Amino acid sequence: MKPDYVSIFDTSLRDGEQAPGASMTSAEKLEVARALARLGVDVIEAGFPAASPDDLAAVQAIAAEVGQAPGAGRPQAEPPIICGLARCTRGDIDAAWQGVRGAQRPRIHTFLATSDLHLKHKLCLTREEMTAKAVEMVAYARSLCADVEFSPEDAGRSDPEFLYKVLAAVIKAGATTLNIPDTVGYTMPDEFGALIAGIIKHTPGARDVIISVHCHDDLGLAVANSLAGLRAGARQAEVTVNGIGERAGNASLEEVVMAIRTRGAKLGLQTGIDTTQLCRISKLVSRSTSYPVPPNKAIVGGNAFAHEAGIHQDGIIKNALTYEIMRPQDVGATHTMLVLGKHSGRAAFAKRLAELGYALEGDALLKAFHEFKKLADRKKSVQDADLIALASDERATVPELWALEHLQVMCGTTGLPTATVRLRDPDGKSRTHAAIGTGPVDASYKAIDAIVNLPVELLEFGISAVTEGIDALAEATVRVRHEEQRAAHGHGADTDIVVAAAKAYVASLNQVLSRQPSGPAQHPQKAGTPSEIST
Amino acid sequence: MKPDYVSIFDTSLRDGEQAPGASMTSAEKLEVARALARLGVDVIEAGFPAASPDDLAAVQAIAAEVGQAPGAGRPQAEPPIICGLARCTRGDIDAAWQGVRGAQRPRIHTFLATSDLHLKHKLCLTREEMTAKAVEMVAYARSLCADVEFSPEDAGRSDPEFLYKVLAAVIKAGATTLNIPDTVGYTMPDEFGALIAGIIKHTPGARDVIISVHCHDDLGLAVANSLAGLRAGARQAEVTVNGIGERAGNASLEEVVMAIRTRGAKLGLQTGIDTTQLCRISKLVSRSTSYPVPPNKAIVGGNAFAHEAGIHQDGIIKNALTYEIMRPQDVGATHTMLVLGKHSGRAAFAKRLAELGYALEGDALLKAFHEFKKLADRKKSVQDADLIALASDERATVPELWALEHLQVMCGTTGLPTATVRLRDPDGKSRTHAAIGTGPVDASYKAIDAIVNLPVELLEFGISAVTEGIDALAEATVRVRHEEQRAAHGHGADTDIVVAAAKAYVASLNQVLSRQPSGPAQHPQKAGTPSEIST
């Protein structure tokens, strides 16, 4: 590997997915992993296998597919390294190994805090006990897997002298990558650069392993800190798409990569990323997590290359370099193109979906194609964004336990908004209910609640037009929480926003039900009497 | 002033408002300016008066009110400096002076590019011509106003030696603040820090004026660059709320301020900002510009202080310091509180609105109070966010030329979505139309279009639930463009999302019509035949 090459370690599926409400289904994680492989990331942290059987299964699926054959379009010949996170315990490390061992290039990533604050208040360990545990667990991980990464959590607030000792000991025990996290996003770039430089200088064996940076954005400095660490000698950057992650999130992949690309000569760094895929993967992750990308987001925001002020437009017309340091096409920020029309066949439809990162098959493909034909009849031009919305809606991410068969709504400025809903239950029977609400969506949700009878708290509700023009598809996203579980979310796309909202709600309830430990057949359920009115 | 004091210069109303689609009405600008004064910013750049008569009027209104008496709650005794932007021409400088002269502490800010790229490709000026023009115009501005700021545009890519000469010359001509912009967001923190240090060291007179930083976020480094410049001796930071601005936006006010507050001891810096108002002003600016704040936005994002992962929650419970470097209450990120119920009176309602930054009076207040009573009847708890939505909807930002009198809609999974709309026209007459669409919103918009007959392109459409639970208010935002004009936007709030969407659309059309140069009475208009069906 060239000395200036920076490995891009994407943790969207682990640290990103840890963000409140950003949870993805296994199918969504697999789709994002495929897109990350095509993008050219060197390492995919696919999850935290000890967290739950679902997490383990998702990591295994990614290791088996993306970790074996990354598919067409990947800039590198080798598949990405597939990494699983583990606390410093045998159980976690065993689970991580179960998760990643199916990959061609597996990695176990284990961590233990080194700051006195964490040792005293969270772990109740002395420095000596911490060191012994880290050494023992790194050696154990190494006995399973040739590629072991160790992270001293809260390194940014740890005593540097102690850090050097711990790191030297874990290198001896077999660690091949040392990741230095600024866990709480507290450091300034010069401090973080000095921390990395100090580690490389004072830790015996540090020059024989890869030093990695992992920065959080609590003070808006994650990208600057990552670059400072890389300039000080680190050669792996842990990042997430759109900067998702705990609290204010992680350093954003697209910003770190484009800073290196744009200022590579000054920084003396390069990456293996195909930057023209950045906008596409940003949209995929935004959709999968329901985290919006604001127009003023660097690199991938809708306005990152837009120029409204007359002065700037004038400059741009005279010479794009006056206000642009990157070209829109470098990051894939081209206008959505008309790709398919009403005469397009199923093969062309499936091919374009695959190019967009959606591998639909069988019934899901047929259903999406049917929806596409309906849309093409109503809408002059079907754009990529429409296709993505259809595919997101139709892909079988969770079992469709309940399905929306029929919805009819009356509403307006006067009168009582009323909705009649017919759902197909998990046994295939139709159940109908009508309800009155404060608006058409409230009425529909009340009718659905009366049928499904699963108490959830509605955390978030949003509707957006997917493409330009109001005759385009509307996409609804809802986030709900059942009891103390993790938030579930659902999408629905339709030209009718009330129908989209009802589809999204049913999808979110299906996600909650499919997570029930007793299995989907055992969910709480009470049939509504057909045509009964509730308020 | 203390040597470590950093003046916070907010340019949300100028550089922020320049972002595509972020345009605010004069009333919205005045509200944001009031909130900025309460927050404690030192300088408000209120606009670019030469851009249009509307821009000039907005700056004048802010100068007259906020620039004279900032109202209760401002940490400083003096009102903020009110600043207007001007190119280096007499016309622009005259307009800027007209805009700001009504303030107690007016400032004119003029700029001219110094990079060879801009001189050659945009301005067609030699270095000597540029210097002469800058000196002449700074002297002219100084003849009108004692406080003059000069910006060498694209300083980040200018020849430092030439920059020192230009800056020395404008100091002699009377400039009191020198603002150094990284116009295209290209520099790295160490480069930008070195640029500022070089200017202070090599420019005769630089120590007698204030050096300012103005950084853009194209590579995600705006905050880091701003801090690097301040550490090198700059003492004014030009920032925007939520980091809005051209392309990827400016350095974000909340991040720069909280980095200084959290790491003040290391940085040797302080500001006069009341940080407990940060979340509130973030919401106000987000609403006024329709730019969303993603959950993972540092400081003001919904998750900035949220901890979902079990490991982190465990740490937080044991000791908040393990994962928090700031407290939620420091930035005003407390839960929305139940403040008003159905028995609250108008005075309490108006008082709470004023605290939230909405000064409604007369009819607008009465109308909002009426809507509040209706809401309190339907909804168990009325929260701050509900009140803000009501106030945003009802405040008289644009003349209500057309008003939604009645809407009735039928839609669902089968049948043709149909909407019947009655609007009151500018002359007070009712006009009715029915239309069929692809969904209830499309049908409503088609019916409205048939009545108003103003061709617009729909750029963006979004609906969100304002507070938790679907029985809360839904708020719709639309952005439209008429011919080649700047984008207009409209809000609508209602418990019925179709009604909210229709209100928002009518509001956006009213904004377009109120901008027509020939005045609102002359807008294109064709009455629809009552009950006529169109598709």
Side-chain angles (χ1 to χ4, degrees), chain A residues 354-474:
Chain A
E355 284 166 8
L356 293 171
Y358 292 85
L360 290 191
E361 286 175 4
D363 278 358
L365 176 61
L366 272 177
K367 222 171 139 200
F369 184 65
H370 179 68
E371 293 292 325
F372 158 69
K373 281 296 198 182
K374 284 205 295 189
L375 183 68
D377 278 343
R378 283 186 306 227
K379 195 165 179 288
K380 272 168 285 178
S381 64
V382 179
Q383 298 174 342
D384 281 354
D386 291 312
L387 296 179
I388 291 171
L390 280 179
S392 310
D393 192 25
E394 296 300 340
R395 68 192 166 180
T397 51
V398 279
E400 201 181 21
L401 300 167
W402 291 88
L404 182 71
E405 289 190 332
H406 180 80
L407 170 69
Q408 122 197 2
V409 165
M410 282 178 303
C411 65
T413 50
T414 49
L416 297 170
T418 306
T420 309
V421 168
R422 190 170 71 225
L423 297 183
R424 197 190 63 231
D425 77 7
D427 302 322
K429 279 189 214 130
S430 291
R431 296 175 186 280
T432 308
H433 207 94
I436 297 163
T438 56
V441 176
D442 185 45
S444 308
Y445 284 25
K446 286 210 168 94
I448 292 168
D449 282 342
I451 300 174
V452 179
N453 194 28
L454 176 73
V456 293
E457 180 193 357
L458 187 71
L459 302 175
E460 206 176 301
F461 170 77
I463 287 193
S464 56
V466 172
T467 42
E468 291 136 42
I470 197 64
D471 65 339
L473 279 184

Side-chain angles (χ1 to χ4, degrees), chain B residues 21 29 50 58 62 71 89 92 123 156 202 219 227 231 259 277 332 342 344 410 434 456 464 491 499 513 517:
Chain B
K29 287 182 189 172
I62 292 167
T89 68
D92 270 30
L123 300 172
H202 299 294
L219 296 175
L227 294 176
R231 290 174 79 178
Q277 300 185 36
K342 59 200 292 184
S344 305
M410 281 178 304
V456 293
S464 56
H491 298 281
V499 175
L513 290 169

Side-chain angles (χ1 to χ4, degrees), chain B residues 40 46-47 102 135 164 172 184 241 258 268 296 308 328-329 349 360 398 420 484 492 519 523:
Chain B
V135 163
Y164 305 153
K172 271 198 181 165
V184 291
V241 176
M258 287 308 293
N296 57 324
E308 177 149 319
Q329 56 268 40
F349 175 73
L360 290 190
V398 279
T420 308
E484 294 303 300
H523 56 80

Side-chain angles (χ1 to χ4, degrees), chain A residues 89-343:
Chain A
T89 69
R90 274 175 196 264
D92 271 30
I93 291 169
D94 287 337
W97 179 236
Q98 287 310 311
V100 301
R101 64 185 300 176
Q104 235 182 72
R105 305 164 70 205
R107 176 182 293 183
I108 296 172
H109 176 195
T110 188
F111 69 97
L112 196 59
T114 45
S115 71
D116 290 333
L117 195 61
H118 279 240
L119 286 176
K120 189 172 161 198
H121 293 287
K122 197 182 71 168
L123 300 172
C124 304
L125 289 177
T126 65
R127 288 182 169 195
E128 292 67 32
E129 289 165 342
M130 180 273 155
T131 310
K133 194 170 174 183
V135 164
E136 185 193 345
M137 288 303 140
V138 166
Y140 178 61
R142 188 61 200 265
S143 75
L144 302 170
C145 181
D147 187 350
V148 174
E149 172 169 329
F150 176 77
S151 291
E153 197 187 359
D154 205 24
R157 293 190 297 183
S158 299
D159 170 12
E161 296 297 329
F162 175 55
L163 201 54
Y164 306 151
K165 280 188 196 148
V166 172
L167 294 176
V170 296
I171 292 172
K172 270 198 182 166
T176 46
T177 296
L178 298 180
N179 176 53
I180 312 303
D182 179 22
T183 305
V184 292
Y186 181 75
T187 60
M188 293 285 140
D190 61 319
E191 289 174 324
F192 194 71
L195 176 67
I196 299 295
I199 288 169
I200 293 174
K201 187 169 175 192
H202 299 295
T203 304
R207 286 171 208 276
D208 306 321
V209 299
I210 293 173
I211 306 294
S212 168
V213 295
H214 178 112
C215 298
H216 279 274
D217 205 37
D218 295 74
L219 296 175
L221 295 168
V223 172
N225 286 343
S226 300
L227 294 175
L230 294 171
R231 291 174 78 178
R235 283 297 175 266
Q236 173 179 290
E238 301 202 358
V239 292
T240 60
V241 176
N242 298 339
I244 59 171
E246 285 276 341
R247 304 184 314 281
N250 291 61
S252 119
L253 182 150
E254 59 276 14
E255 293 173 11
V256 169
V257 165
M258 287 308 293
I260 290 175
R261 187 189 148 117
T262 307
R263 301 305 311 276
K266 170 168 170 75
L267 298 173
L269 301 171
Q270 59 166 308
T271 76
I273 298 295
D274 173 7
T275 61
T276 65
Q277 300 186 34
L278 288 171
C279 282
R280 189 190 297 173
I281 199 163
S282 163
K283 289 197 180 78
L284 176 66
V285 169
S286 171
R287 193 172 299 271
S288 302
T289 56
S290 332
Y291 271 44
V293 174
N296 56 326
K297 169 77 181 65
I299 315 295
V300 294
N303 286 347
F305 295 94
H307 301 269
E308 177 148 319
I311 294 169
H312 284 202
Q313 283 180 346
D314 182 49
I316 284 284
I317 290 161
K318 288 182 179 151
N319 184 335
L321 276 176
T322 49
Y323 289 98
E324 273 182 13
I325 58 173
M326 298 165 275
R327 296 175 309 161
Q329 56 267 40
D330 292 344
V331 300
T334 46
H335 274 92
T336 51
M337 293 164 299
L338 168 65
V339 286
L340 293 171
K342 59 200 292 185
H343 302 298

Side-chain angles (χ1 to χ4, degrees), chain B residues 146-203:
Chain B
D147 187 350
V148 174
E149 173 169 328
F150 176 78
S151 291
E153 196 187 0
D154 206 23
R157 293 190 297 183
S158 300
D159 170 12
E161 296 297 329
F162 175 56
L163 202 52
Y164 305 153
K165 281 189 196 145
V166 172
L167 294 176
V170 297
I171 292 171
K172 271 198 181 165
T176 46
T177 295
L178 297 179
N179 176 52
I180 312 303
D182 180 22
T183 304
V184 291
Y186 181 76
T187 60
M188 293 286 139
D190 61 319
E191 289 174 325
F192 194 71
L195 176 68
I196 298 296
I199 287 169
I200 293 174
K201 187 169 175 191
H202 299 294
T203 304

